[in-house]
Amino acid sequence: KYISMVMRDVFLVKPLSMTPSQIRRIILILLGIVVLGVLGFLGYRALRTTPAAPQDETQTITGRSLPSPAIPQVPPGGAEGAIPLPDLPSIAEERLVRLTDFPVVSPALNKDETRVLFYKKSGGDLFASDFTGKNQTKQTNLTVIGLMEAIWQRDGGRAVVRYADGDTAKAFLQIGTSTIATLPQDITSAAWSPDRSSVAYALPRDGQLDLIITDASGKNPRTVYRTPLIDASLAWVAADLFIFATAPSAAADGYFFAFSRQDGAFTKVFGPQRGLIGLWSPDGAAVLASGIPAGAREYALTLYSRQKKESVSIPLATMAEKCVWSDGASLFCAVPKSIPGGTVLPDEYLRGEFNPSDRIVRIESTAGAVSPIFDEGDFDMANILATKDKKRLFFVNRRDGTLWSLRLQ
């Protein structure tokens, strides 16, 4: 009402009788009233109680994803404040444990066999894990895209790492946590000397395959032999003895040839067998061969003594690369529970077209006796490792690339 009276006096009643000073005073009064009104409104808004916003019902659980109910395991602890996961049986009580929830490449045991080493397929980071999978530490900060394989020293100290760069195969020596040595391009295979002091690799040149040896740091390379077996893979089985294995295929006869650095001799050791793959014992005295023997129709295993030149047939349809020597006297093998008729071995397996469900058996190399070890789950087992005390196996499940540990009973 007061404002209305003032406005009437100013604009209607006495517009012509006011002096300039009176007009300025009235304008200032009006501005003051407006300012006081704005401040009062803001004070009212600040003192008014604001209703609480509705709570978000979504909750986040941190930590490793929950495992399959068939093979439970305890996930590592999550971040502080995280909602705890349900209680699960202790991982130490489980016979079969999944160590990783991501694909890995080329696992190996360290020297004292207390940890398992592996490369993460995505990014190529090197990790070390205990046998529960709960304690994993990154060993390097390298990023390796296109990782194919790692060929380890027997004690897990160093590795030849092969990876694909477009259409080019490249390789380097993993010497330490931050030290590498570049190797030539297009190396097709590599092998460490039994005493771990040197590394050999096969390199195609001018239509031949060169056998090149360097020290354990990749220095002082020297070519010691050339062979026309351009597609052969390499094994270093004794101080002065190398084995060249022809590429395996069910459509071609396969052979093992030995090169002696001591006398320069190059001789046939084993074959022919179609689809031939070999796994040499740690002392190089024997080889587990898988293939189709001459005159036979079924894919099977053969134990061959290089020194005695004697063979023992083992009627198991599996590939030697699905086996591991625990010592010079026994092996563990993953054997497909069934093989569909018409499956071409080893070709379809090597191409990833045949993914069997495996069981594990133990083979005594002296007599070829076979005993069952494990026949549970649905795993296509590869990269099998065995501790020297024969108490634990490790394998990669080819279906998803994850790493597993199996405690032997």
Side-chain angles (χ1 to χ4, degrees), residues 83-343:
I83 298 174
L85 294 173
D87 290 336
L88 297 174
S90 169
I91 198 169
E93 298 174 359
E94 294 299 324
R95 185 184 181 197
L96 183 66
V97 177
R98 188 181 69 174
L99 300 184
T100 71
D101 57 5
F102 51 82
V104 307
V105 173
S106 301
L109 291 168
N110 66 347
K111 185 175 182 179
D112 56 6
E113 296 192 339
T114 57
R115 298 175 75 77
V116 59
L117 308 171
F118 57 86
Y119 287 88
K120 187 175 182 180
K121 187 174 181 61
S122 175
D125 292 315
L126 176 62
F127 283 85
S129 173
D130 65 1
F131 293 169
T132 69
K134 294 166 59 176
N135 300 302
Q136 297 182 6
T137 56
K138 186 186 292 188
Q139 304 296 295
T140 67
N141 292 318
L142 295 175
T143 298
V144 184
I145 306 300
L147 187 63
M148 295 190 295
E149 67 170 341
I151 301 97
W152 290 91
Q153 285 178 321
R154 287 184 181 174
D155 62 357
R158 300 185 180 190
V160 176
V161 180
R162 298 178 66 234
Y163 65 101
D165 184 3
D167 295 332
T168 303
K170 295 184 178 181
F172 63 86
L173 272 176
Q174 180 80 63
I175 298 174
T177 57
S178 60
T179 305
I180 67 170
T182 302
L183 296 174
Q185 294 184 8
D186 297 322
I187 288 174
T188 56
S189 63
W192 290 90
S193 62
D195 64 2
R196 307 183 302 279
S197 64
S198 303
V199 63
Y201 51 84
L203 183 64
R205 286 178 179 170
D206 303 326
Q208 303 253 353
L209 193 69
D210 286 2
L211 171 61
I212 301 173
I213 297 177
T214 76
D215 61 25
S217 298
K219 299 178 180 178
N220 305 314
R222 57 198 184 280
T223 301
V224 298
Y225 188 69
R226 302 193 80 189
T227 174
L229 299 174
I230 192 69
D231 61 352
S233 60
L234 179 67
W236 197 336
V237 300
D240 290 307
L241 191 66
F242 299 86
I243 299 295
F244 290 91
T246 55
S249 173
D253 287 335
Y255 298 86
F256 298 149
F257 296 95
F259 166 67
S260 172
R261 192 167 44 156
Q262 183 176 8
D263 56 18
F266 186 80
T267 56
K268 185 185 78 172
V269 174
F270 187 82
Q273 283 196 7
R274 285 177 290 143
L276 182 61
I277 299 175
L279 181 70
W280 290 86
S281 62
D283 60 4
V287 61
L288 178 70
S290 61
I292 305 174
R297 301 180 62 182
E298 301 296 329
Y299 200 87
L301 296 176
T302 302
L303 271 169
Y304 176 76
S305 171
R306 181 176 60 87
Q307 297 173 337
K308 297 179 181 179
K309 296 181 173 55
E310 296 176 351
S311 296
V312 175
S313 296
I314 303 173
L316 292 175
T318 191
M319 285 133 290
E321 71 168 40
K322 293 175 78 71
C323 301
V324 64
W325 288 88
S326 61
D327 51 33
S330 60
L331 307 98
F332 294 97
C333 287
V335 180
K337 298 176 185 179
S338 64
I339 300 176
T343 302

